[in-house]
């Protein structure tokens, strides 16, 4: 009986292949699906949207205030025309003013105080009490930035701490690179796919709520002409979020690629943020205490010690709330350098099993 | 018998701990406070008269509590999860009292590493601050007339800011902090497994907030008792215009030590109960 | 020694072990079953790592859950690999032995003996990370036997071993049995388990399908295959011969070449294969009774001595399939 000899050679695929430039999407989609199975991720994402409601309320009260203020101005103007001198004093920093009585004002101030320290809030209150329409762009930018920095910042820290550490370390542990790279995908596809997994979830709790709030603000405003004065805000929001997302996602992925035990990656991620933040805050506070400088005047290169403070400053700069361009560009160069470094390390680490 | 097993685990875990990555992590934690103090020295070196660290007891207390927290986060939180992740839990679980002795041995290892890392850091930090000139009178405006109460507080501040006093005031707090936080984080790690670090972090944030609330809840926090132990050992008190009870309690140091030991035992007991009542093989497979 | 009384174990909604009842006295037992059949769950129940959802379980007369002292009498060599890469076999086995409760010097002595028994003396001070799979298997076995347990439980001990390693492992286990100890060996490969002559326990989908000596199990298989062949030929004729219709048998004889030649001349075979070392002949046939009859005739006429004749490994699936049918009342 003749022994059957089977053709075990490579069989070319006759079907239609997807675009090579979109193969990373497969890695990303699978990763996103796997991560979404975690109940804790769903819970954190759900809770991370809560502050949006609060900020949405702030938008609502602000626009209510603007509208009431317009009505008040018309009445006041008519009173001034009739010779009432008291109507010209609409706001004073002590808060005991006519403006306090306008509906929406006190709610806006209360919510702002919840998000930011009094020093930062006073300046803004001053601006929108005088010219609420003109200050809208600044107020909206400030509100969105505070949300991104504070509540969303903590949510992002936790989300990345849950998602990123095992993403590459697990592949190192299970030697999954051999499976990945036996397919026609490049190392860059792999990196892009993994980056997108983290980026998707971070974007979901940062970019999406911020854009939704902008839309909400526009819908609540007195007229669509608001868009003309705030058209740049969505672009600024997206850029500000990307400035934070890129290094914040690449850094834990780099750490993940350096170990096969995900707990070390998780620990290193939290350690970098906590030590950096506490260290910088301590330097910052002591420097202010010693030198009697104002908070905004302390612009030292040591800010790079704390990734949180560094990215916060850059986000603030992108949103148009900081204007020391030279300092911002220095920090941006550092962040860009860090991101490139992370990419190079990851590329090298994921190539290691192939070189061996 | 159990003691021997615990010590066997401690010895084994200690030898396993001597890897480059773990030693490097400990070095980062040990050098964090000294580097930060040097950085502060460089940053605030505006003129020589102002080169100083204000309230060294508080600054070093915060830095070293952080070092203890991070060290314990790394060493204590994943004691069971690390074995489950490496699939080596079965080997420990099939020994008589293996689960208990390995967990307690790892607990000792966590306390050892956290305490030694923080002690090295504290010693280096005290050496650094001894080089700074500290004059509490600079806290006041140059032409201010000090009240007797303020004068007295300046004396207290001067005493509690001496590097040696800072060193021996913070050191026992570090040991007790490592004992208590390790037991809490082991407990958290046993319940939450691979998400242990995230939950330990959330716990730390909540604890920090509660420790500063002038309410009953602060008695259940580790930070509050550590603060009392360190400040009372250094005989530090807040400025006369601040109510002392906002920061400190009326109880003795011994009371705070006892409370911390009770917290430690309660959490260790709960962790041991959890360890024996849960099927970890199921957790590994799920 | 081991008593299961209607033991069922659920993992949430998944059934790990389903209504298992058995009573095993000291001796050697081979737990056979496909992957996912519940072998590891059964072992975890025996070692007290899992608590039965329903039913009663006794090991050495005691409920193993929470009876930690009982674990002194048990040695377990789990299927999972040792992943402490930066410690040596000696350090690890010594640590495991100390956890049993031996003092420092006795633990060292026992560790030395155990590693020597498994042939790891030369490499015992090297880091485990640099070991081959076979060395890690032997290290795992050393930690299980260092305290000389009454009952040695092994979960897939032959995984990843080369033929020489398998032979050595078999020898080790036979020697261990010779010291009046019990072995409980879980595997999904029939002939590996058979080498140590155990009573077989056949587990599938969490249920104990059959228990008994290998000969009895083989009888079931042979009778089922014959029965199936008859049914197939009766229903569809010889044209419909799918892969499942072919039964493989393995023969070791004094002249495998001559036997193969004669068989091919008189019988239609689906396949015939000689092992690389030419000691085993594997025959695939759709007519097992006829081929067995022919083999008997050829051996008698050509004076060929048959040392072994048994279903090949692949027949284990057939065996389980047959037993499942018996359980469902289909045959």
């Amino acid at each position: 009986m003749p022994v059957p000899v089977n053709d075990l050679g490579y069989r070319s695929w006759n079907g239609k292949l997807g675009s090579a430039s979109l193969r990373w999407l497969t890695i990303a989609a699978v990763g996103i699906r796997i991560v979404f199975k975690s109940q804790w991720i769903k819970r954190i994402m759900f809770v991370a949207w809560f502050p949006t409601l609060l900020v949405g309320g702030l938008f609502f009260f602000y626009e209510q205030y603007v509208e009431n203020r317009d009505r008040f101005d018309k009445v006041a103007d008519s009173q001034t025309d009739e010779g009432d001198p008291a109507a010209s004093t609409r706001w004073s920093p002590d808060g005991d003013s006519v403006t306090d009585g306008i509906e929406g004002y006190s709610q806006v101030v209360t919510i702002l105080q919840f998000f930011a320290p009094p020093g930062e809030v006073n300046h803004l209150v001053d601006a929108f009490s005088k010219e609420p329409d003109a200050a809208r762009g600044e107020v909206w930018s400030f509100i969105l930035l505070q949300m991104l920095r504070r509540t969303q910042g903590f949510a992002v820290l936790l989300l990345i701490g849950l998602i990123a550490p095992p993403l590459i370390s697990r592949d190192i542990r299970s030697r999954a690179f051999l499976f990945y790279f036996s397919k026609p995908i490049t190392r860059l596809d792999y990196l892009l796919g993994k980056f997108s997994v983290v980026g998707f979830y971070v974007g979901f709790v940062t970019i999406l709520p911020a854009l939704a709030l902008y839309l909400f603000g526009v819908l609540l405003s007195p007229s669509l002409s608001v868009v003309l004065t705030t058209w740049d805000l969505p672009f600024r929001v997206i850029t500000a979020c990307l400035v934070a997302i890129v290094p914040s996602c690449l850094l834990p992925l780099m750490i993940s690629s350096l170990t096969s035990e995900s707990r070390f990656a998780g620990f290193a991620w939290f350690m970098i943020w906590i030590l950096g933040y506490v260290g910088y805050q301590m330097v910052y506070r002591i420097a202010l205490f010693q030198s009697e400088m104002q908070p905004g005047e302390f612009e030292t290169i040591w800010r790079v010690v704390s990734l949180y403070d560094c990215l916060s400053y850059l986000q603030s700069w992108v949103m148009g709330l900081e204007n020391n361009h030279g300092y911002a560009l220095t920090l941006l160069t550092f962040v860009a350098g860090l991101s490139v470094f992370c990419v190079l390390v990851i590329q090298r680490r994921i190539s290691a099993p192939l070189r061996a | 018998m159990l003691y021997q097993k615990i010590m066997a685990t401690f010895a084994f875990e200690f030898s396993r701990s001597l890897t480059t990555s773990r030693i490097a992590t400990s070095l980062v934690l040990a050098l964090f406070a000294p580097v930060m103090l040097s950085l502060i020295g460089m940053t605030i070196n505006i003129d020589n008269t102002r080169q100083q660290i204000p309230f060294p007891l508080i600054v070093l207390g915060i830095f070293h509590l952080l070092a203890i927290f991070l060290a314990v986060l790394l060493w204590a939180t994943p004691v069971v999860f690390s074995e489950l992740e490496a699939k080596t839990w079965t080997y420990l679980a099939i020994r008589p009292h293996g689960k208990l002795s390995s967990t307690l041995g790892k607990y000792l290892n966590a306390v050892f590493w956290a305490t030694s890392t923080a002690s090295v850091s504290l010693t280096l930090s005290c050496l650094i601050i001894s080089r700074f000139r500290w004059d509490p009178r600079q806290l006041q405006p140059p032409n201010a007339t000090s009240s007797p109460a303020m004068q007295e507080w300046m004396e207290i501040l001067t005493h509690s800011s001496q590097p040696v006093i800072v060193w021996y005031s913070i050191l026992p707090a570090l040991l007790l902090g490592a004992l208590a936080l390790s037991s809490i984080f082991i407990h958290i790690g046993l319940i939450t497994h691979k998400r242990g670090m995230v939950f330990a972090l959330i716990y730390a944030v909540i604890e920090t907030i509660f420790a500063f609330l002038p309410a009953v809840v602060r008695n259940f926090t580790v930070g509050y008792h550590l603060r009392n132990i360190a400040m009372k050992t250094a005989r530090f008190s807040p400025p006369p215009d601040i109510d002392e009870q906002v920061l400190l309690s009326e109880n003795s140091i011994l009371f705070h030590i006892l409370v911390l030991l009770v917290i430690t035992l309660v959490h260790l007991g709960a962790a041991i109960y959890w360890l024996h009542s849960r099927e970890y093989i199921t957790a590994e497979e799920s | 020694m081991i008593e299961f009384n209607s033991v069922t174990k659920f993992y949430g909604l998944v059934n790990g072990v389903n209504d298992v009842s058995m009573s095993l006295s000291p001796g050697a037992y081979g737990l056979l079953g496909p992957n996912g059949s519940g072998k590891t769950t059964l072992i975890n129940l025996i070692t007290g790592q899992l608590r039965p959802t329903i039913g009663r379980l006794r090991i050495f007369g005691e409920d193993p859950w929470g009876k930690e002292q009982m674990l002194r009498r048990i040695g377990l060599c789990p299927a999972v690999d040792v992943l402490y890469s930066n410690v040596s076999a000696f350090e690890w086995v010594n640590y495991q032995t100390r956890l049993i409760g031996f003092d420092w010097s006795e633990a060292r002595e026992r560790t030395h003996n155990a590693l020597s028994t498994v042939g790891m003396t030369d490499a015992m001070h090297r880091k485990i990370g640099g070991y081959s799979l076979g060395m890690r298997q032997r290290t795992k076995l050393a930690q299980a036997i260092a305290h000389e347990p009454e009952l040695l439980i092994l979960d897939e001990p032959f995984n990843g071993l080369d033929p020489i390693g398998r032979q050595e492992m078999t020898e080790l286990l036979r020697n261990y049995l010779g010291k009046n100890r019990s072995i409980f060996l879980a595997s999904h490969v029939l002939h590996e388990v058979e080498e140590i002559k155990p009573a077989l326990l056949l587990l599938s989908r969490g249920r104990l399908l059959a228990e008994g000596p290998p000969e009895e199990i083989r009888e079931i298989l042979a009778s089922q295959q014959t029965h199936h062949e008859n049914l197939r030929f009766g229903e569809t004729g010889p044209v419909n011969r799918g892969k499942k219709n072919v039964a493989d048998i393995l023969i070791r004889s004094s002249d495998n070449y001559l036997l193969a030649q004669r068989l091919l001349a008189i019988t239609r075979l689906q396949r015939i294969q000689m092992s690389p070392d030419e000691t085993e002949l594997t025959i695939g046939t759709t007519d097992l009774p006829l081929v067995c009859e022919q083999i008997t005739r050829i051996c008698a006429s050509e004076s060929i001595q048959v040392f072994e004749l048994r279903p090949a490994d692949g027949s284990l699936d057939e065996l389980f399939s047959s037993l499942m049918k018996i359980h469902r009342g289909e045959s």
Side-chain angles (χ1 to χ4, degrees):
Chain A
M1 179 183 287
V3 178
V5 178
N6 297 323
D7 178 11
L8 299 177
Y10 182 76
R11 288 188 297 168
S12 58
W13 172 252
N14 294 322
K16 194 181 170 189
L17 282 172
S19 167
S21 58
L22 294 176
R23 279 175 199 157
W24 60 272
L25 269 176
T26 311
I27 298 173
V30 171
I32 289 167
R33 252 200 319 272
I34 291 171
V35 170
F36 199 67
K37 283 179 185 168
S38 163
Q39 290 299 322
W40 280 106
I41 295 291
K42 288 177 197 161
R43 282 170 200 155
I44 290 179
M45 282 169 67
F46 181 70
V47 173
W49 271 74
F50 278 0
T52 314
L53 297 176
L54 191 65
V55 178
L58 199 143
F59 271 81
F60 171 75
F61 288 122
Y62 186 78
E63 290 310 324
Q64 201 184 24
Y65 161 67
V66 174
E67 211 172 318
N68 294 335
R69 175 62 185 266
D70 283 347
R71 264 203 307 273
F72 170 81
D73 279 352
K74 281 172 194 162
V75 174
D77 285 345
S78 64
Q79 283 174 344
T80 311
D81 294 343
E82 288 162 15
D84 177 6
S88 60
T89 310
R90 287 166 190 150
W91 183 82
S92 61
D94 59 9
D96 183 18
S97 65
V98 178
T99 316
D100 275 357
I102 298 173
E103 204 175 334
Y105 178 85
S106 59
Q107 288 91 335
V108 172
V109 175
T110 309
I111 299 176
L112 276 178
Q113 280 168 346
F114 176 80
F115 273 103
E120 291 178 44
V121 173
N122 287 347
H123 157 73
L124 203 68
V125 172
D126 194 7
F128 76 71
S129 296
K130 287 173 184 162
E131 294 290 342
D133 262 328
R136 179 182 278 114
E138 193 184 353
V139 172
W140 285 15
S141 296
F142 182 81
I143 295 166
L144 292 176
L145 181 70
Q146 292 307 322
M147 186 187 80
L148 291 176
R149 278 171 67 173
R150 296 176 201 279
T151 54
Q152 305 316 93
F154 189 62
V156 165
L157 179 70
L158 293 184
L159 263 182
I160 295 181
L162 276 173
I163 298 169
L167 274 184
I168 298 182
S169 66
R170 197 169 44 202
D171 288 348
I172 293 176
R173 191 183 190 84
S174 61
R175 294 171 191 166
F177 293 134
L178 300 173
F179 290 106
Y180 278 110
F181 299 123
S182 63
K183 313 284 186 297
I185 57 164
T186 63
R187 286 174 298 164
L188 199 64
D189 289 332
Y190 174 84
L191 173 58
L192 208 54
K194 295 287 179 182
F195 174 82
S196 305
V197 176
V198 198
F200 172 82
Y201 286 99
V202 175
F204 192 84
V205 296
T206 53
I207 299 178
L208 216 57
L211 290 181
L213 280 171
Y214 173 76
L215 192 67
F216 187 65
V218 169
L219 292 174
L220 289 179
S221 62
S223 79
L224 263 182
S225 62
V226 168
V227 178
L228 292 175
T229 54
T230 59
W231 63 271
D232 59 330
L233 206 51
F235 299 102
R236 284 179 189 272
V237 163
I238 293 170
T239 314
C241 288
L242 287 178
V243 163
I245 287 174
V246 172
S248 303
C249 295
L250 284 174
L251 183 65
L253 286 179
M254 181 193 78
I255 301 167
S256 177
S257 74
L258 293 172
T259 175
S260 60
E261 293 183 67
S262 60
R263 70 179 188 281
F264 283 116
F267 170 76
W269 167 247
F270 290 124
M271 186 176 76
I272 287 170
W273 283 83
I274 295 169
L275 287 187
Y277 178 74
V278 174
Y280 175 73
Q281 284 298 321
M282 209 61 108
V283 174
Y284 173 71
R285 304 265 166 219
I286 290 173
L288 287 189
F289 177 78
Q290 298 283 11
S291 63
E292 291 157 16
M293 280 192 291
Q294 291 303 305
E297 293 169 17
F298 188 73
E299 287 174 348
T300 166
I301 188 64
W302 292 117
R303 193 186 283 267
V304 298
V305 168
S306 167
L307 202 53
Y308 174 79
D309 289 285
C310 185
L311 294 176
S312 290
Y313 189 91
L314 283 175
Q315 284 188 314
S316 198
W317 176 66
V318 171
M319 298 291 276
L321 299 170
E322 296 285 355
N323 50 20
N324 186 343
H325 302 305
Y327 183 59
L329 284 174
T330 310
L331 295 182
L332 191 64
T333 309
F334 167 76
V335 169
L338 177 71
S339 304
V340 171
F341 176 74
C342 290
V343 169
L344 291 176
V345 171
I346 299 170
Q347 292 279 36
R348 188 171 168 73
R349 288 290 298 166
I350 59 180
S351 308
L354 304 179
R355 284 199 303 271
Chain B
M1 187 71 92
L2 184 64
Y3 165 77
Q4 281 184 347
K5 291 181 189 177
I6 293 169
M7 291 319 288
T9 304
F10 174 67
F12 181 73
E13 286 299 320
F14 182 76
S15 68
R16 273 186 72 208
S17 309
L18 297 172
T19 61
T20 316
S21 60
R22 294 190 191 200
I23 291 170
T25 310
S26 292
L27 267 179
V28 169
L29 290 177
L31 293 178
F32 169 69
V35 167
M36 278 297 140
L37 290 174
S38 306
L39 193 61
I40 291 168
M42 284 185 335
T43 311
I44 64 177
N45 191 14
I46 297 156
D47 58 68
N48 284 334
T49 55
R50 288 187 173 277
Q51 189 183 358
Q52 55 186 268
I53 302 289
F55 309 115
L57 184 72
I58 297 173
V59 173
L60 263 62
I62 292 172
F63 277 150
H64 290 94
L65 184 61
L66 190 68
I68 283 283
F69 161 73
L70 286 171
V72 163
L73 187 72
L74 173 67
W75 295 102
T77 317
V79 290
V80 171
F81 172 63
S82 60
E83 301 292 343
L84 290 174
E85 189 184 32
K87 299 188 188 302
T88 43
W89 178 251
T90 312
Y91 295 100
L92 301 173
I94 52 147
R95 307 287 155 187
H97 305 297
K99 289 186 276 193
L100 177 65
S101 51
S102 63
T103 305
L104 292 180
K106 280 162 175 265
Y107 168 75
L108 281 188
N109 193 43
V111 171
F112 173 81
W113 276 99
T115 317
S116 50
T117 303
S119 305
V120 170
S121 175
L122 179 66
T123 309
L124 290 175
S125 301
C126 286
L127 286 174
I128 288 172
I129 60 165
S130 66
R131 296 187 60 229
F132 293 150
R133 271 170 287 140
W134 165 238
D135 183 4
R137 277 163 298 196
Q138 286 188 5
L139 285 174
Q140 306 169 84
N143 51 358
T145 50
S146 299
S147 63
M150 198 65 175
Q151 293 272 353
E152 192 188 338
W153 184 62
M154 285 297 162
E155 293 296 321
I156 291 170
L157 206 55
T158 309
H159 168 80
S160 65
S161 301
Q162 292 171 36
V164 178
I165 306 278
V166 170
W167 189 82
Y168 81 66
S169 302
I170 294 179
L171 197 66
L174 292 182
L175 175 64
L176 289 163
L179 284 170
L181 285 174
S182 292
S183 69
I184 294 171
F185 284 8
I186 281 182
H187 191 186
I188 292 174
L190 279 172
I191 297 170
T192 55
H193 287 211
K194 64 180 171 186
R195 295 172 199 92
M197 281 197 189
V198 175
F199 280 93
L201 184 73
I202 293 171
Y203 167 82
V205 171
I206 294 170
E207 212 228 57
T208 309
I209 296 167
F210 283 179
F212 283 94
L213 285 181
V216 176
V217 70
R218 69 180 181 178
N219 288 294
F220 298 100
T221 64
V222 175
Y224 171 68
H225 298 289
L226 293 180
R227 187 170 74 216
N228 271 282
I229 292 168
M231 287 186 172
K232 285 181 177 177
T233 309
R235 293 192 213 137
F236 176 87
S237 66
D241 53 334
I242 296 176
D243 182 8
E244 187 167 315
Q245 288 190 5
V246 173
L247 268 182
L248 302 172
S249 76
E250 289 175 343
N251 299 308
S252 66
I253 295 176
L254 190 64
F255 170 82
H256 292 289
I257 292 173
L258 281 175
V259 173
L260 280 175
L261 292 177
V262 168
I263 289 176
T264 306
L265 290 176
V266 165
H267 281 282
L268 274 184
I272 290 164
Y273 172 76
W274 194 271
L275 200 63
H276 278 93
S277 60
R278 192 162 173 183
E279 294 172 331
Y280 277 94
I281 301 293
T282 321
E284 181 192 338
E285 288 174 354
S286 59
Chain C
M1 181 176 70
I2 300 175
E3 266 185 64
F4 275 64
N5 195 350
S6 301
V7 171
T8 298
K9 177 66 192 172
F10 280 101
Y11 298 106
L13 294 174
V14 179
N15 197 339
V17 164
N18 189 359
D19 195 25
V20 170
S21 292
M22 59 183 180
S23 180
L24 309 177
S25 48
Y29 296 91
L31 181 62
L32 277 170
N35 292 329
S37 58
K39 299 191 294 293
T40 305
T41 302
L42 204 74
I43 288 173
N44 285 330
L45 284 164
I46 293 171
T47 55
Q49 305 310 308
L50 294 176
R51 193 165 28 183
T53 314
I54 306 168
R56 209 180 70 138
L57 172 64
R58 289 284 178 273
I59 309 295
F60 298 120
E62 283 187 287
D63 180 355
W65 177 259
K67 298 284 187 313
E68 302 223 357
Q69 284 303 332
M70 198 200 70
L71 292 169
R72 266 175 173 268
R73 304 168 73 180
I74 297 175
L76 173 66
C77 179
V80 289
D81 208 354
V82 195
L83 288 166
Y84 292 127
S85 55
N86 66 334
V87 294
S88 69
F90 186 86
E91 285 172 302
W92 184 61
V93 177
N94 185 45
Y95 167 53
Q96 295 291 328
T97 312
R98 288 199 69 190
L99 282 183
I100 293 289
F102 296 110
D103 63 26
W104 188 80
S105 57
E106 189 170 358
R108 281 181 74 87
E109 194 184 325
R110 282 176 177 270
T111 302
H112 214 280
N113 290 343
L115 284 166
S116 161
T117 306
V118 297
M120 284 291 294
T121 312
D122 291 341
M124 68 183 179
H125 291 298
R126 274 169 41 200
K127 302 285 181 205
I128 293 176
Y131 284 178
S132 67
L133 190 55
M135 290 163 90
R136 291 205 295 272
Q137 287 285 59
R138 282 187 276 168
T139 307
K140 276 162 56 180
L141 183 62
Q143 64 78 34
I145 61 172
H147 58 292
E148 297 175 37
E150 290 169 49
L151 170 62
L152 178 62
I153 302 172
L154 304 112
D155 194 358
E156 309 285 2
F158 299 100
N159 266 5
L161 292 182
D162 57 20
I164 297 168
R166 283 172 192 223
Q167 189 59 39
E168 285 174 354
M169 180 69 84
T170 308
E171 280 303 313
L172 262 167
L173 297 179
R174 277 186 191 147
N175 289 340
Y176 199 79
L177 260 179
K179 294 174 185 169
N180 278 333
R181 298 183 193 281
S182 300
I183 285 184
F184 194 85
L185 194 156
S187 176
H188 56 262
V189 184
L190 178 60
H191 80 88
E192 286 177 352
V193 178
E194 267 188 324
E195 295 287 329
I196 58 164
K197 315 278 184 221
L200 296 180
L201 306 163
L202 301 177
L203 200 67
S204 179
R205 297 177 194 179
R207 301 207 66 172
L208 189 63
L209 296 183
E211 55 179 300
E215 302 77 43
E216 284 180 20
I217 303 285
R218 289 206 181 288
E219 273 175 28
I220 299 170
L221 177 61
S223 65
Q224 284 303 304
Q225 281 174 336
T226 312
H227 179 68
H228 290 154
E229 295 316 313
N230 291 342
L231 278 177
R232 270 186 220 119
F233 279 89
E235 285 166 10
T236 59
V239 180
N240 183 15
R241 287 179 183 176
K243 196 182 169 188
K244 279 193 169 180
N245 296 0
V246 181
D248 284 342
I249 54 169
L250 188 142
I251 307 162
R252 283 201 301 127
S253 69
S254 57
D255 195 338
N256 288 336
Y257 275 109
L258 184 61
L259 180 61
Q261 195 182 6
R262 293 282 183 269
L263 270 173
L264 282 170
I266 58 170
T267 313
R268 191 172 171 194
L269 298 175
Q270 260 50 47
R271 58 177 163 261
I272 185 161
Q273 187 182 20
M274 188 73 76
S275 66
D277 58 1
E278 300 178 1
T279 56
E280 290 175 354
L281 185 67
T282 307
I283 293 166
T285 174
T286 54
D287 196 345
L288 191 64
L290 178 68
V291 169
C292 288
E293 196 182 314
Q294 300 288 9
I295 289 171
T296 316
R297 274 197 203 138
I298 292 166
C299 290
S301 63
E302 301 291 341
S303 302
I304 299 171
Q305 276 185 293
V306 175
F307 305 125
E308 187 178 2
L309 192 153
R310 61 173 170 84
D313 288 347
S315 303
L316 193 61
D317 293 338
E318 194 86 11
L319 173 62
F320 277 102
S321 163
S322 305
L323 289 168
M324 286 298 285
K325 281 178 181 160
I326 292 170
H327 276 263
R328 287 198 295 262
E330 291 174 17
S331 51

